[in-house]
């Protein structure tokens, strides 16, 4: 879409190839555009020259601020905001790419999950605030360290998802304010200096490529922070209000708005104010759910701004939508200016063709459409066709320049399936993640098998999922599939017939009972979304450990066994396998006292984000460079683990070797059969060679001997252990064979065409 703004000296669009115009001379005089082109050519020789645009070097971090009032009547302030805005940067990038032949070299219409998995099938998911580095070394420099990538190669990791590393938070006048959601409230395309520099980011991408790896970045198509773009929108400046779901409330109706407390820039609407504005015709009112609901903090998805002076000197107040926190205003994907769409696509292209990443995570991309509900019904805000259309646009644009995308989308299985048909290439496995935790703490895989069957029946390809262990978030147990679209459907669980809503409540209450409170006081409930914990503290709860201070060496060995089991579940099935530093070091949660200011308003997830030192390079440090307290690690640093055959990392490496050797990541799940022991899980996969492979896991605390049976198993077929190469049995006339597994152990089995002849 064309931008009606006239060219401005600070952001005029240069022609492609005009490197002298691509960088504003006043903003980074030490940088040589010619040298950067040579650098890119050296590390990205296949990338067409035309697909190396550069975002402007804005004066975002200049210490000198003009001595003028920061409001809309001050042209210097407005121009300064424009120089920080993502919409402005998007326009610059778009102009450099438009009309270039390189934009037509890749197919883009349809998602290609197996191509994405083949590109990068094992991911390390970093969290910049928590990764401990050598003194004076940035996060990006640490992740770009060749020694770290050598360790990753030994384990079998071939991609790093950096997490959000661009400037986030907000602006209050000339001053930047901190992030309110772990840097997922983006306000700029520039790298946040707390994490490193743009040059370090490019160097990290180059080192990854040298080690046959890929860097995965983030974009947030659903919202921004309250940065320059939002402040310009409040000032009613040109296209900027079109970025957001925001409604200009005339002064005559300000009595419908609550007062904004001193020191705040907005206030959340309570239910009464929401209804009053809905009845007055300003907003659509209640939505399907209130994410992060907290009494007195966030009671609705709407907030009202304080009075703001616009560029004409008029006072304005707005009501704006935010699915998440008040500092994360929601983007509008169907505004006549198409400002939101242009900004998000520009952000994606900046990461891929300017910085050099190979893939993008789409955060909160299921909430891109909102529509008034019928009569008194809540507004339609989940599973909306506009979200599908927007995801198709994003996914197609990324594929057009040779990358791939994955979505972290916690909606019903049906909606995940629908979105994945046209949009992102991969989806986060919210489908079975609560299920395998439930299996561990109960010793019963029935609910896990139920969710796997639901996904198969609906048509979700397991190879299109990112099967992850812990990331920066809580253990999500919303079970949206069962509480929304299928809330009245009848399911069988534990010998009972339950509606979807009843089943979800039973599973949630079981997880709360066994993983929090007296059973595990170190884990905390996080609003209505789930439980704040680490993988290690899920396991300690399952083992009945009520205090973390006195864990013995014998218990650490048990924890490691169960941890490897969970890794096997996620890795020995089709799709991407992802894990974090919290998993590689066996990190336990922080205490509430260590993060008291961060959890003061109910965001208990900070207990599961403790700082950790992957390589053991800064053992004396007690906090990360970002100030996160160091958490207790049950496992040694990676160099020490890789020298110990019994360590978590070395055992994980053996699992990933089997996964790679037999092509399990690109197989197809064909059966999840019934089991003879409730702690057993059997997944039957068809490999690309048409050979069958079985993943068999024991989630119980006891050794089990049971029958593995599936109609896909041919009578007389030989069963071989993929780890040892030993024959362990033959399929009988009932399409079954016997297997014994110790507590918290698993294996990968290969099914031969026929029984091997016996030696004479």
């Amino acid at each position: 879409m064309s931008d009606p703004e006239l060219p401005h000296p600070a952001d005029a669009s240069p022609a492609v190839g005009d490197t002298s115009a691509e960088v504003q001379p006043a903003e980074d005089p030490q940088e040589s555009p010619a040298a950067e082109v040579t650098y890119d050519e050296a590390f990205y020789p296949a990338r067409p020259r035309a697909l190396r645009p550069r975002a402007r070097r804005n004066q975002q971090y200049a210490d000198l601020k003009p001595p003028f009032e920061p409001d809309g009547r001050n042209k210097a302030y407005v121009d300064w905001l424009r120089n920080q805005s993502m919409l402005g940067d998007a326009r610059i990038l778009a102009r450099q790419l438009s009309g270039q032949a390189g934009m037509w070299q890749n197919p883009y219409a349809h998602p290609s999950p197996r191509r994405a998995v083949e590109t990068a099938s094992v991911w390390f998911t970093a969290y910049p605030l928590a990764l401990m580095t050598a003194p004076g070394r940035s996060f990006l420099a640490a992740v770009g360290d060749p020694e770290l990538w050598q360790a990753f190669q030994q384990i079998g990791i071939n991609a790093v998802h950096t997490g959000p590393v661009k400037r986030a938070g907000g602006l209050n006048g000339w001053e930047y304010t901190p992030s309110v959601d772990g840097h997922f409230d983006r306000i700029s395309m520039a790298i946040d200096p707390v994490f490193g520099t743009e040059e370090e980011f490019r160097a990290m991408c180059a080192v990854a490529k040298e080690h046959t790896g890929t860097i995965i970045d983030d974009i947030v198509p659903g919202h921004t922070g309250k940065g320059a773009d939002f402040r310009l929108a409040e000032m009613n400046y040109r296209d900027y209000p079109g970025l957001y779901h925001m409604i200009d409330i005339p002064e005559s109706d300000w009595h419908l708005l609550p007062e904004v407390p001193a020191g705040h820039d907005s206030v959340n609407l309570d239910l009464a104010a929401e209804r009053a504005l809905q009845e007055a015709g300003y907003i659509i009112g209640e939505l399907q759910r209130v994410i992060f609901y907290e009494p007195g903090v966030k009671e609705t998805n709407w907030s009202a701004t304080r009075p703001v002076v616009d560029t004409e000197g008029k006072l304005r107040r707005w009501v704006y939508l935010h699915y998440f926190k008040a500092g994360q205003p929601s983007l509008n994907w169907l505004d006549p200016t198409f400002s939101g769409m242009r900004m998000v696509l520009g952000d994606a292209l900046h990461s891929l063709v300017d910085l050099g990443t190979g893939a993008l995570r789409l955060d909160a991309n299921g909430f891109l459409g909102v529509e008034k509900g019928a009569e008194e019904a809540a507004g339609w805000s989940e599973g909306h066709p506009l979200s599908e259309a927007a995801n198709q646009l994003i996914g197609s644009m990324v594929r057009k320049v040779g990358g791939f995308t994955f979505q972290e989308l916690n909606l019903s299985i049906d909606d995940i399936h629908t979105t994945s048909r046209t949009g992102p290439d991969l989806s986060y496995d919210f489908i079975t993640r609560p299920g395998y935790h439930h299996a561990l703490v109960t010793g019963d895989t029935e609910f896990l098998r139920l969710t796997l069957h639901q996904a198969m029946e609906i048509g979700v390809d397991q190879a299109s999922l990112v099967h992850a262990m812990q990331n920066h978030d809580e253990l999500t147990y919303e079970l949206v599939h069962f509480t929304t679209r299928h809330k009245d459907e009848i399911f069988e669980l534990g010998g009972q017939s339950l509606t979807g809503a009843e089943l979800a409540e039973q599973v949630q209450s079981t997880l709360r009972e066994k993983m929090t409170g007296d059973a595990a006081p170190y884990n905390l409930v996080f609003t209505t979304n789930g439980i704040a914990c680490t993988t290690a503290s899920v396991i300690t709860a399952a083992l009945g450990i009520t205090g973390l201070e006195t864990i013995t060496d014998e218990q650490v060995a048990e924890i490691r066994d169960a941890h490897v089991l969970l890794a096997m579940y996620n890795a020995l099935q089709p799709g991407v396998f992802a894990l974090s530093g919290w998993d590689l070091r066996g990190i336990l949660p922080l205490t509430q006292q260590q993060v008291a200011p961060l959890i003061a308003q109910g965001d208990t997830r900070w207990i599961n984000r403790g700082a950790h030192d992957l390589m053991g390079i800064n053992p004396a440090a007690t906090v990360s460079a970002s100030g996160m307290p160091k958490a207790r690690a049950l496992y040694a640093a990676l160099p020490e683990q890789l020298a110990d055959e019994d360590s978590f990392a070395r055992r994980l490496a053996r699992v990933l070797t089997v996964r790679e050797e037999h092509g399990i990541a690109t197989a197809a799940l064909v059966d999840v059969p019934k089991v003879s022991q409730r702690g057993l899980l059997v997944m039957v996969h068809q490999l690309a060679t048409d050979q069958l492979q079985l993943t068999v896991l024991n989630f119980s605390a006891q050794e089990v001997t049971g029958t593995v049976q599936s109609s896909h198993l041919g009578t007389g077929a030989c069963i071989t252990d993929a780890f040892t190469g030993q024959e362990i049995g033959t399929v009988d006339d009932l399409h079954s064979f016997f297997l014994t597994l110790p507590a918290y152990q698993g294996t990968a089995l290969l099914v031969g065409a026929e029984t091997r002849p016996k030696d004479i």
Side-chain angles (χ1 to χ4, degrees):
M1 302 298 167
S2 61
D3 192 325
E5 293 189 28
L6 296 175
H8 185 274
D11 60 5
S13 299
V16 175
D18 182 4
T19 55
S20 64
E22 290 174 13
V23 179
Q24 296 179 47
E27 294 178 354
D28 200 344
Q30 297 180 350
E31 193 166 44
S32 167
E36 288 183 1
V37 170
T38 302
Y39 181 89
D40 281 350
E41 286 172 345
F43 286 108
Y44 305 106
R47 182 177 300 159
R49 181 182 179 87
L51 291 192
R52 285 192 226 108
R54 302 304 300 273
R56 62 182 170 205
R57 299 293 183 270
N58 48 39
Q59 303 177 55
Q60 187 149 338
Y61 309 118
D63 294 328
L64 211 54
K65 305 299 184 203
F68 305 116
E69 286 299 316
D71 69 36
R73 293 165 295 189
N74 177 8
K75 185 177 184 299
Y77 182 60
V78 173
D79 287 347
W80 183 77
L81 290 176
R82 291 182 65 190
N83 279 325
Q84 318 311 312
S85 72
M86 291 190 287
L87 182 58
D89 275 349
R91 184 170 60 251
I92 298 295
L93 287 162
R95 185 63 192 89
Q96 294 174 66
L97 289 167
S98 181
Q100 301 304 304
M103 290 294 294
W104 299 97
Q105 304 307 310
N106 297 295
Y108 63 87
H110 303 293
S112 182
R114 280 174 173 76
R115 184 188 71 84
V117 171
E118 288 169 354
T119 300
S121 74
V122 180
W123 302 355
F124 173 78
T125 55
Y127 190 63
L129 297 176
L131 186 67
M132 303 184 78
T133 63
R137 198 169 205 196
S138 72
F139 164 78
L140 292 174
V143 176
D145 186 343
E147 290 188 12
L148 176 63
W149 277 91
Q150 289 168 13
F152 283 166
Q153 276 192 308
Q154 289 184 61
I155 295 169
I157 295 167
N158 55 16
V160 168
H161 174 212
T162 62
V165 295
K166 294 180 180 178
R167 172 70 85 167
L171 277 171
N172 182 14
W174 301 101
E175 303 300 324
Y176 290 98
T177 58
S179 169
V180 299
D181 189 27
H183 273 70
F184 287 98
D185 44 344
R186 291 274 312 284
I187 62 171
S188 173
M189 293 187 194
I191 302 297
D192 192 319
V194 75
F195 301 131
T197 67
E198 201 167 88
E199 289 68 32
E200 288 174 328
F201 195 109
R202 288 194 179 88
M204 172 184 64
C205 292
V207 170
K209 185 176 181 181
E210 289 174 348
H211 292 82
T212 65
T214 301
I215 296 296
I216 303 170
D217 194 12
D218 288 77
I219 63 170
V220 188
H223 55 257
T224 68
K226 289 184 176 178
D229 296 274
F230 184 75
R231 297 309 178 198
L232 288 167
E234 285 184 313
M235 295 174 187
N236 199 37
Y237 185 72
R238 297 185 178 176
D239 280 3
Y240 287 86
L243 283 168
Y244 302 100
H245 289 285
M246 56 193 306
I247 298 92
D248 186 6
I249 308 297
E251 191 167 359
S252 58
D253 278 338
W254 284 7
H255 64 278
L256 299 175
L257 306 178
E259 293 294 323
V260 178
H264 293 259
D265 65 358
S266 66
V267 61
N268 190 243
L269 303 184
D270 60 21
L271 289 173
E274 181 185 58
R275 292 193 188 103
L277 286 165
Q278 180 182 12
E279 291 170 0
Y282 288 116
I283 63 176
I284 67 171
E286 179 185 357
L287 301 185
Q288 288 171 275
R289 59 174 166 155
V290 180
I291 299 174
F292 295 168
Y293 175 85
E294 188 73 21
V297 176
K298 190 189 178 191
E299 298 181 357
T300 74
N301 292 301
W302 301 91
S303 285
T305 70
R306 62 192 173 188
V308 177
V309 179
D310 72 9
T311 54
E312 302 297 325
K314 180 181 178 181
L315 274 177
R316 293 181 183 273
R317 290 194 72 185
W318 306 78
V319 171
Y320 68 94
L321 175 69
H322 53 96
Y323 287 111
F324 298 93
K325 298 182 180 181
Q328 297 168 291
S330 294
L331 291 169
N332 186 349
W333 275 81
L334 198 58
D335 181 82
T337 66
F338 289 94
S339 299
M341 180 189 302
R342 289 187 287 127
M343 185 180 74
V344 171
L345 294 180
D347 192 18
L349 291 171
H350 170 250
S351 179
L352 294 158
V353 301
D354 186 350
L355 295 179
T357 61
L360 296 173
R361 169 186 178 268
L362 310 184
D363 180 66
N365 65 312
F367 309 101
L368 307 184
V370 60
E371 184 175 331
K372 184 177 181 179
E375 297 180 357
E376 298 300 316
W380 185 7
S381 56
E382 298 183 21
H384 195 284
L386 180 56
S387 288
E388 299 171 26
N391 281 294
Q392 166 74 358
L393 285 169
I394 299 169
S396 293
M397 182 62 78
V398 172
R399 288 187 288 271
K400 217 175 185 192
V401 296
F404 68 85
T405 56
F406 81 99
Q407 62 183 1
E408 191 166 338
L409 181 61
N410 188 17
L411 296 178
S412 71
I413 301 173
D414 313 74
D415 291 333
I416 291 173
H417 175 245
T418 299
T419 306
S420 66
R421 286 184 300 184
T422 55
D425 299 280
L426 302 167
S427 298
Y428 204 80
D429 184 7
F430 283 117
I431 298 170
T432 71
R433 195 171 182 225
Y436 75 78
H437 288 97
H438 184 269
L440 185 71
V441 299
T442 63
D444 189 338
T445 65
E446 184 180 7
F447 176 64
L448 175 56
R449 286 183 279 114
L450 187 155
T451 57
L452 285 164
H453 278 291
Q454 283 286 295
M456 292 177 69
E457 291 169 9
I458 290 170
V460 172
D461 180 0
Q462 290 295 107
S464 71
L465 298 179
V466 177
H467 310 290
M469 301 186 75
Q470 184 191 347
N471 67 6
H472 64 280
D473 275 330
E474 78 290 349
L475 162 60
T476 300
Y477 68 5
E478 288 180 292
L479 301 176
V480 176
H481 181 76
F482 299 101
T483 59
T484 57
R485 184 177 291 203
H486 299 272
K487 62 184 174 64
D488 297 320
E489 187 175 333
I490 300 299
F491 297 91
E492 298 295 325
L493 184 70
Q496 294 179 290
S497 295
L498 303 169
T499 65
E502 291 170 339
L503 180 148
E505 173 54 34
Q506 180 170 305
V507 171
Q508 290 165 351
S509 62
T510 298
L511 288 172
R512 285 193 298 268
E513 175 189 345
K514 293 184 177 293
M515 288 178 53
T516 64
D518 292 339
Y522 40 81
N523 296 326
L524 298 176
V525 172
F526 172 61
T527 66
T528 59
N529 294 57
I531 296 171
C533 57
T534 67
T535 303
S537 71
V538 172
I539 297 168
T540 56
L543 295 176
I545 298 172
T546 58
L548 303 180
E549 302 81 10
T550 57
I551 293 177
T552 65
D553 290 344
E554 291 77 12
Q555 288 173 322
V556 171
E558 288 183 282
I559 292 167
R560 187 168 56 241
D561 284 347
H563 208 156
V564 173
L565 174 78
L566 298 186
M568 293 179 79
Y569 167 75
N570 286 286
L572 296 179
Q573 63 172 305
V576 166
F577 168 59
L579 80 167
S580 65
W582 295 298
D583 288 304
L584 286 173
R585 288 296 310 268
I587 299 297
L588 297 174
L590 297 166
T591 66
Q592 297 182 54
Q593 292 73 25
Q594 288 177 286
V595 286
L598 295 172
I599 67 175
Q601 291 191 339
D603 194 346
T604 55
R605 293 175 299 174
W606 291 103
I607 69 165
N608 58 249
R609 295 170 175 169
H612 49 277
D613 184 351
L614 278 181
M615 299 295 287
I617 54 178
N618 198 357
T622 57
V623 297
S624 69
S626 300
M628 281 301 296
K630 184 178 182 179
R632 181 183 173 189
L634 297 180
Y635 313 149
L638 291 186
E640 187 176 339
Q641 284 197 61
L642 290 172
D644 177 4
E645 289 300 318
D646 291 328
S647 70
F648 175 78
R650 185 56 72 186
R651 291 173 66 182
L652 175 64
R654 291 196 286 273
V655 172
L656 297 181
T657 296
V658 167
R659 167 187 165 92
E660 177 68 19
E661 286 180 348
H662 299 287
I664 295 173
T666 53
L669 178 65
V670 295
D671 193 17
V672 182
K674 294 180 179 179
V675 291
S676 58
Q677 301 285 339
R678 67 190 188 99
L680 278 179
L681 175 72
V682 179
M683 295 185 288
V684 182
H685 305 123
Q686 185 172 21
L687 305 176
T689 59
D690 289 334
Q691 183 180 15
L692 291 181
Q693 178 270 324
L694 279 67
T695 297
V696 187
L697 308 171
N698 177 12
F699 281 85
S700 74
Q702 293 81 37
E703 178 180 279
V704 297
T705 298
T707 300
V708 175
Q709 183 177 38
S710 171
S711 60
H712 292 267
L713 300 177
T715 300
C718 170
I719 305 298
T720 304
D721 189 312
F723 287 92
T724 65
Q726 294 181 342
E727 182 180 328
I728 65 167
T730 303
V731 178
D732 61 24
D733 291 340
L734 298 177
H735 307 286
S736 65
F737 62 92
F738 286 98
L739 182 70
T740 297
L741 280 177
Y744 302 127
Q745 298 290 319
T747 190
L749 306 174
L750 299 172
V751 182
E754 58 185 16
T755 305
R756 296 175 182 174
K758 295 184 181 294
D759 293 333
I760 300 175

